[in-house]
Amino acid sequence: MTAKTVFERRRLRGLYAITPETADAGELVALVRAALDGGARLVQYRSKHAAAGARARQAEALLLLCRDRGVPLIVNDDIELAIAVSADGLHLGRGDGDPREARSRLPDAILGVSCYDDPARAVAAAGAGADYVGIGSVFASQTKPRAIRSGLAALAEAKRLARIPVAAIGGITPSNAAEAVAAGADMIAVITSLFGSPDVAGAARALSRPFDTEADSHVRTQPAAL
């Protein structure tokens, strides 16, 4: 394993593509490829319903694609799967495990923690070793319509207090992505308005537009494996 550098940690910025549920690994790879073509900078493999074997096959296929593009693949919720496929990182939601334990088992991985509408939780996650936190739902979400709304103020406060990158999630579209970035989001995490689009690459380009003026927006860095 190659330890992450400070430079790599600071590259947690841009469109964060979170995969939709699908049983077809080929379809999933094609969708993610289109998102990467459009400018996605990170990918999270999220599957709540597939069997363990299918999840492993999908994660492995996505990892090959992401490694080829120099983009980190983060596994949602499942530390054993992240370790098994040598993913680049792990994301933990509420009840999905202790960030301190995850950090001890994955010392060189990217570690993200969902903090919902609670900046204090973001501070605790940073102290436990998280590389970034997720705040949201910042807007009304089609994927999680019952999710607590954090609003942009909680995002800005989490960024100020935790002092690590913040991913805005929930209801983000091309029309409001710039608001989240202006409020302090380093990343915008998107499922529906990206993968629900008939033109995934085009949607990725539109969602990435708030980051387009950054000098290094075209650069890709090969992330460290677990």
Side-chain angles (χ1 to χ4, degrees), residues 131-157:
D131 293 296
Y132 74 89
V133 293
I135 294 291
S137 184
V138 292
F139 304 109
S141 170
Q142 294 182 45
T143 303
K144 295 184 177 181
R146 297 181 182 177
I148 296 172
R149 288 283 299 278
S150 67
L152 296 175
L155 187 156
E157 186 70 354

PDB file of all heavy atoms in Angstrom, residues 131-157:
ATOM      1  N   ASP A 131     -11.476  11.958   6.247  1.00  0.00           N
ATOM      2  CA  ASP A 131     -10.861  12.844   5.260  1.00  0.00           C
ATOM      3  C   ASP A 131     -11.868  13.864   4.738  1.00  0.00           C
ATOM      4  O   ASP A 131     -11.481  14.929   4.254  1.00  0.00           O
ATOM      5  CB  ASP A 131     -10.316  12.043   4.084  1.00  0.00           C
ATOM      6  CG  ASP A 131      -9.145  11.173   4.482  1.00  0.00           C
ATOM      7  OD1 ASP A 131      -8.106  11.737   4.884  1.00  0.00           O
ATOM      8  OD2 ASP A 131      -9.262   9.950   4.405  1.00  0.00           O
ATOM      9  N   TYR A 132     -13.145  13.514   4.773  1.00  0.00           N
ATOM     10  CA  TYR A 132     -14.196  14.442   4.363  1.00  0.00           C
ATOM     11  C   TYR A 132     -15.475  14.049   5.078  1.00  0.00           C
ATOM     12  O   TYR A 132     -15.608  12.930   5.600  1.00  0.00           O
ATOM     13  CB  TYR A 132     -14.403  14.426   2.843  1.00  0.00           C
ATOM     14  CG  TYR A 132     -15.109  13.206   2.315  1.00  0.00           C
ATOM     15  CD1 TYR A 132     -16.508  13.158   2.216  1.00  0.00           C
ATOM     16  CD2 TYR A 132     -14.401  12.085   1.921  1.00  0.00           C
ATOM     17  CE1 TYR A 132     -17.160  12.036   1.742  1.00  0.00           C
ATOM     18  CE2 TYR A 132     -15.038  10.954   1.444  1.00  0.00           C
ATOM     19  CZ  TYR A 132     -16.423  10.933   1.357  1.00  0.00           C
ATOM     20  OH  TYR A 132     -17.069   9.809   0.897  1.00  0.00           O
ATOM     21  N   VAL A 133     -16.426  14.965   5.110  1.00  0.00           N
ATOM     22  CA  VAL A 133     -17.742  14.685   5.680  1.00  0.00           C
ATOM     23  C   VAL A 133     -18.814  15.018   4.649  1.00  0.00           C
ATOM     24  O   VAL A 133     -18.609  15.866   3.777  1.00  0.00           O
ATOM     25  CB  VAL A 133     -17.988  15.476   6.982  1.00  0.00           C
ATOM     26  CG1 VAL A 133     -17.066  14.996   8.079  1.00  0.00           C
ATOM     27  CG2 VAL A 133     -17.836  16.974   6.762  1.00  0.00           C
ATOM     28  N   GLY A 134     -19.945  14.359   4.780  1.00  0.00           N
ATOM     29  CA  GLY A 134     -21.097  14.645   3.937  1.00  0.00           C
ATOM     30  C   GLY A 134     -22.153  15.390   4.737  1.00  0.00           C
ATOM     31  O   GLY A 134     -22.467  14.996   5.872  1.00  0.00           O
ATOM     32  N   ILE A 135     -22.678  16.462   4.175  1.00  0.00           N
ATOM     33  CA  ILE A 135     -23.737  17.239   4.818  1.00  0.00           C
ATOM     34  C   ILE A 135     -24.949  17.277   3.890  1.00  0.00           C
ATOM     35  O   ILE A 135     -24.840  17.582   2.704  1.00  0.00           O
ATOM     36  CB  ILE A 135     -23.273  18.676   5.119  1.00  0.00           C
ATOM     37  CG1 ILE A 135     -22.157  18.681   6.168  1.00  0.00           C
ATOM     38  CG2 ILE A 135     -24.450  19.537   5.584  1.00  0.00           C
ATOM     39  CD1 ILE A 135     -22.587  18.282   7.557  1.00  0.00           C
ATOM     40  N   GLY A 136     -26.119  16.996   4.435  1.00  0.00           N
ATOM     41  CA  GLY A 136     -27.327  17.036   3.631  1.00  0.00           C
ATOM     42  C   GLY A 136     -28.426  16.196   4.270  1.00  0.00           C
ATOM     43  O   GLY A 136     -28.185  15.496   5.258  1.00  0.00           O
ATOM     44  N   SER A 137     -29.588  16.381   3.759  1.00  0.00           N
ATOM     45  CA  SER A 137     -29.929  16.842   2.437  1.00  0.00           C
ATOM     46  C   SER A 137     -29.969  18.381   2.374  1.00  0.00           C
ATOM     47  O   SER A 137     -30.727  19.028   3.102  1.00  0.00           O
ATOM     48  CB  SER A 137     -31.294  16.275   2.056  1.00  0.00           C
ATOM     49  OG  SER A 137     -31.658  16.598   0.765  1.00  0.00           O
ATOM     50  N   VAL A 138     -29.114  18.940   1.485  1.00  0.00           N
ATOM     51  CA  VAL A 138     -29.069  20.395   1.387  1.00  0.00           C
ATOM     52  C   VAL A 138     -30.276  20.957   0.641  1.00  0.00           C
ATOM     53  O   VAL A 138     -30.687  22.088   0.872  1.00  0.00           O
ATOM     54  CB  VAL A 138     -27.758  20.882   0.740  1.00  0.00           C
ATOM     55  CG1 VAL A 138     -26.566  20.602   1.645  1.00  0.00           C
ATOM     56  CG2 VAL A 138     -27.531  20.264  -0.625  1.00  0.00           C
ATOM     57  N   PHE A 139     -30.838  20.157  -0.279  1.00  0.00           N
ATOM     58  CA  PHE A 139     -32.073  20.507  -0.974  1.00  0.00           C
ATOM     59  C   PHE A 139     -33.012  19.309  -0.862  1.00  0.00           C
ATOM     60  O   PHE A 139     -32.614  18.247  -0.381  1.00  0.00           O
ATOM     61  CB  PHE A 139     -31.801  20.829  -2.443  1.00  0.00           C
ATOM     62  CG  PHE A 139     -30.787  21.923  -2.659  1.00  0.00           C
ATOM     63  CD1 PHE A 139     -29.523  21.644  -3.150  1.00  0.00           C
ATOM     64  CD2 PHE A 139     -31.101  23.251  -2.373  1.00  0.00           C
ATOM     65  CE1 PHE A 139     -28.584  22.646  -3.348  1.00  0.00           C
ATOM     66  CE2 PHE A 139     -30.173  24.269  -2.565  1.00  0.00           C
ATOM     67  CZ  PHE A 139     -28.912  23.966  -3.051  1.00  0.00           C
ATOM     68  N   ALA A 140     -34.252  19.446  -1.295  1.00  0.00           N
ATOM     69  CA  ALA A 140     -35.187  18.323  -1.280  1.00  0.00           C
ATOM     70  C   ALA A 140     -34.661  17.207  -2.178  1.00  0.00           C
ATOM     71  O   ALA A 140     -34.269  17.448  -3.315  1.00  0.00           O
ATOM     72  CB  ALA A 140     -36.562  18.790  -1.753  1.00  0.00           C
ATOM     73  N   SER A 141     -34.654  15.982  -1.643  1.00  0.00           N
ATOM     74  CA  SER A 141     -34.037  14.858  -2.334  1.00  0.00           C
ATOM     75  C   SER A 141     -35.074  13.870  -2.850  1.00  0.00           C
ATOM     76  O   SER A 141     -35.948  13.430  -2.100  1.00  0.00           O
ATOM     77  CB  SER A 141     -33.080  14.127  -1.386  1.00  0.00           C
ATOM     78  OG  SER A 141     -32.634  12.911  -1.934  1.00  0.00           O
ATOM     79  N   GLN A 142     -34.946  13.496  -4.130  1.00  0.00           N
ATOM     80  CA  GLN A 142     -35.808  12.455  -4.685  1.00  0.00           C
ATOM     81  C   GLN A 142     -35.386  11.080  -4.185  1.00  0.00           C
ATOM     82  O   GLN A 142     -36.210  10.193  -3.991  1.00  0.00           O
ATOM     83  CB  GLN A 142     -35.740  12.477  -6.213  1.00  0.00           C
ATOM     84  CG  GLN A 142     -36.318  13.713  -6.847  1.00  0.00           C
ATOM     85  CD  GLN A 142     -36.265  13.640  -8.357  1.00  0.00           C
ATOM     86  OE1 GLN A 142     -36.593  12.613  -8.959  1.00  0.00           O
ATOM     87  NE2 GLN A 142     -35.832  14.723  -8.992  1.00  0.00           N
ATOM     88  N   THR A 143     -34.083  10.873  -3.977  1.00  0.00           N
ATOM     89  CA  THR A 143     -33.600   9.573  -3.527  1.00  0.00           C
ATOM     90  C   THR A 143     -34.018   9.298  -2.090  1.00  0.00           C
ATOM     91  O   THR A 143     -34.388   8.171  -1.739  1.00  0.00           O
ATOM     92  CB  THR A 143     -32.059   9.521  -3.631  1.00  0.00           C
ATOM     93  OG1 THR A 143     -31.687   9.796  -4.982  1.00  0.00           O
ATOM     94  CG2 THR A 143     -31.532   8.154  -3.230  1.00  0.00           C
ATOM     95  N   LYS A 144     -33.958  10.336  -1.238  1.00  0.00           N
ATOM     96  CA  LYS A 144     -34.353  10.200   0.164  1.00  0.00           C
ATOM     97  C   LYS A 144     -35.328  11.318   0.512  1.00  0.00           C
ATOM     98  O   LYS A 144     -34.972  12.296   1.174  1.00  0.00           O
ATOM     99  CB  LYS A 144     -33.126  10.255   1.079  1.00  0.00           C
ATOM    100  CG  LYS A 144     -32.171   9.087   0.894  1.00  0.00           C
ATOM    101  CD  LYS A 144     -31.029   9.162   1.893  1.00  0.00           C
ATOM    102  CE  LYS A 144     -30.100   7.963   1.762  1.00  0.00           C
ATOM    103  NZ  LYS A 144     -28.994   8.007   2.761  1.00  0.00           N
ATOM    104  N   PRO A 145     -36.593  11.177   0.085  1.00  0.00           N
ATOM    105  CA  PRO A 145     -37.562  12.266   0.284  1.00  0.00           C
ATOM    106  C   PRO A 145     -37.844  12.572   1.746  1.00  0.00           C
ATOM    107  O   PRO A 145     -38.295  13.671   2.066  1.00  0.00           O
ATOM    108  CB  PRO A 145     -38.814  11.758  -0.447  1.00  0.00           C
ATOM    109  CG  PRO A 145     -38.638  10.273  -0.533  1.00  0.00           C
ATOM    110  CD  PRO A 145     -37.168  10.038  -0.653  1.00  0.00           C
ATOM    111  N   ARG A 146     -37.584  11.633   2.648  1.00  0.00           N
ATOM    112  CA  ARG A 146     -37.837  11.862   4.072  1.00  0.00           C
ATOM    113  C   ARG A 146     -36.594  12.341   4.825  1.00  0.00           C
ATOM    114  O   ARG A 146     -36.626  12.495   6.046  1.00  0.00           O
ATOM    115  CB  ARG A 146     -38.353  10.577   4.718  1.00  0.00           C
ATOM    116  CG  ARG A 146     -39.687  10.099   4.143  1.00  0.00           C
ATOM    117  CD  ARG A 146     -40.160   8.839   4.829  1.00  0.00           C
ATOM    118  NE  ARG A 146     -41.412   8.364   4.255  1.00  0.00           N
ATOM    119  CZ  ARG A 146     -42.024   7.238   4.629  1.00  0.00           C
ATOM    120  NH1 ARG A 146     -41.488   6.484   5.568  1.00  0.00           N
ATOM    121  NH2 ARG A 146     -43.154   6.879   4.052  1.00  0.00           N
ATOM    122  N   ALA A 147     -35.514  12.553   4.105  1.00  0.00           N
ATOM    123  CA  ALA A 147     -34.273  12.965   4.753  1.00  0.00           C
ATOM    124  C   ALA A 147     -34.436  14.330   5.408  1.00  0.00           C
ATOM    125  O   ALA A 147     -35.137  15.212   4.909  1.00  0.00           O
ATOM    126  CB  ALA A 147     -33.141  13.017   3.731  1.00  0.00           C
ATOM    127  N   ILE A 148     -33.769  14.502   6.541  1.00  0.00           N
ATOM    128  CA  ILE A 148     -33.769  15.790   7.227  1.00  0.00           C
ATOM    129  C   ILE A 148     -33.051  16.812   6.354  1.00  0.00           C
ATOM    130  O   ILE A 148     -31.986  16.539   5.808  1.00  0.00           O
ATOM    131  CB  ILE A 148     -33.058  15.668   8.586  1.00  0.00           C
ATOM    132  CG1 ILE A 148     -33.839  14.717   9.505  1.00  0.00           C
ATOM    133  CG2 ILE A 148     -32.901  17.027   9.250  1.00  0.00           C
ATOM    134  CD1 ILE A 148     -33.108  14.394  10.789  1.00  0.00           C
ATOM    135  N   ARG A 149     -33.638  17.983   6.213  1.00  0.00           N
ATOM    136  CA  ARG A 149     -33.016  19.049   5.431  1.00  0.00           C
ATOM    137  C   ARG A 149     -31.982  19.776   6.288  1.00  0.00           C
ATOM    138  O   ARG A 149     -32.299  20.273   7.367  1.00  0.00           O
ATOM    139  CB  ARG A 149     -34.076  20.023   4.935  1.00  0.00           C
ATOM    140  CG  ARG A 149     -34.968  19.482   3.830  1.00  0.00           C
ATOM    141  CD  ARG A 149     -34.258  19.480   2.486  1.00  0.00           C
ATOM    142  NE  ARG A 149     -33.877  20.819   2.078  1.00  0.00           N
ATOM    143  CZ  ARG A 149     -34.684  21.695   1.490  1.00  0.00           C
ATOM    144  NH1 ARG A 149     -35.938  21.359   1.228  1.00  0.00           N
ATOM    145  NH2 ARG A 149     -34.252  22.891   1.135  1.00  0.00           N
ATOM    146  N   SER A 150     -30.778  19.827   5.804  1.00  0.00           N
ATOM    147  CA  SER A 150     -29.732  20.547   6.521  1.00  0.00           C
ATOM    148  C   SER A 150     -29.670  22.005   6.100  1.00  0.00           C
ATOM    149  O   SER A 150     -29.309  22.882   6.886  1.00  0.00           O
ATOM    150  CB  SER A 150     -28.376  19.892   6.261  1.00  0.00           C
ATOM    151  OG  SER A 150     -27.996  20.062   4.903  1.00  0.00           O
ATOM    152  N   GLY A 151     -29.960  22.250   4.825  1.00  0.00           N
ATOM    153  CA  GLY A 151     -29.786  23.584   4.284  1.00  0.00           C
ATOM    154  C   GLY A 151     -28.320  23.901   4.078  1.00  0.00           C
ATOM    155  O   GLY A 151     -27.422  23.142   4.465  1.00  0.00           O
ATOM    156  N   LEU A 152     -28.069  25.041   3.464  1.00  0.00           N
ATOM    157  CA  LEU A 152     -26.698  25.436   3.146  1.00  0.00           C
ATOM    158  C   LEU A 152     -25.967  26.000   4.356  1.00  0.00           C
ATOM    159  O   LEU A 152     -24.727  25.953   4.419  1.00  0.00           O
ATOM    160  CB  LEU A 152     -26.707  26.455   2.011  1.00  0.00           C
ATOM    161  CG  LEU A 152     -27.258  25.929   0.675  1.00  0.00           C
ATOM    162  CD1 LEU A 152     -27.333  27.065  -0.334  1.00  0.00           C
ATOM    163  CD2 LEU A 152     -26.396  24.794   0.134  1.00  0.00           C
ATOM    164  N   ALA A 153     -26.693  26.500   5.339  1.00  0.00           N
ATOM    165  CA  ALA A 153     -26.047  27.080   6.510  1.00  0.00           C
ATOM    166  C   ALA A 153     -25.287  26.015   7.293  1.00  0.00           C
ATOM    167  O   ALA A 153     -24.167  26.254   7.764  1.00  0.00           O
ATOM    168  CB  ALA A 153     -27.075  27.759   7.406  1.00  0.00           C
ATOM    169  N   ALA A 154     -25.871  24.831   7.436  1.00  0.00           N
ATOM    170  CA  ALA A 154     -25.196  23.746   8.154  1.00  0.00           C
ATOM    171  C   ALA A 154     -23.954  23.298   7.405  1.00  0.00           C
ATOM    172  O   ALA A 154     -22.932  22.952   8.008  1.00  0.00           O
ATOM    173  CB  ALA A 154     -26.151  22.562   8.348  1.00  0.00           C
ATOM    174  N   LEU A 155     -24.025  23.324   6.085  1.00  0.00           N
ATOM    175  CA  LEU A 155     -22.859  22.967   5.270  1.00  0.00           C
ATOM    176  C   LEU A 155     -21.712  23.946   5.535  1.00  0.00           C
ATOM    177  O   LEU A 155     -20.563  23.544   5.776  1.00  0.00           O
ATOM    178  CB  LEU A 155     -23.252  22.972   3.804  1.00  0.00           C
ATOM    179  CG  LEU A 155     -22.254  22.486   2.764  1.00  0.00           C
ATOM    180  CD1 LEU A 155     -23.002  22.016   1.523  1.00  0.00           C
ATOM    181  CD2 LEU A 155     -21.271  23.582   2.365  1.00  0.00           C
ATOM    182  N   ALA A 156     -22.021  25.220   5.489  1.00  0.00           N
ATOM    183  CA  ALA A 156     -20.997  26.236   5.714  1.00  0.00           C
ATOM    184  C   ALA A 156     -20.403  26.135   7.115  1.00  0.00           C
ATOM    185  O   ALA A 156     -19.192  26.284   7.312  1.00  0.00           O
ATOM    186  CB  ALA A 156     -21.591  27.625   5.491  1.00  0.00           C
ATOM    187  N   GLU A 157     -21.258  25.853   8.104  1.00  0.00           N
ATOM    188  CA  GLU A 157     -20.782  25.744   9.478  1.00  0.00           C
ATOM    189  C   GLU A 157     -19.903  24.499   9.652  1.00  0.00           C
ATOM    190  O   GLU A 157     -18.884  24.544  10.345  1.00  0.00           O
ATOM    191  CB  GLU A 157     -21.975  25.682  10.438  1.00  0.00           C
ATOM    192  CG  GLU A 157     -21.615  25.708  11.908  1.00  0.00           C
ATOM    193  CD  GLU A 157     -21.085  27.051  12.391  1.00  0.00           C
ATOM    194  OE1 GLU A 157     -20.870  27.967  11.572  1.00  0.00           O
ATOM    195  OE2 GLU A 157     -20.895  27.192  13.613  1.00  0.00           O
TER     196      GLU A 157
END
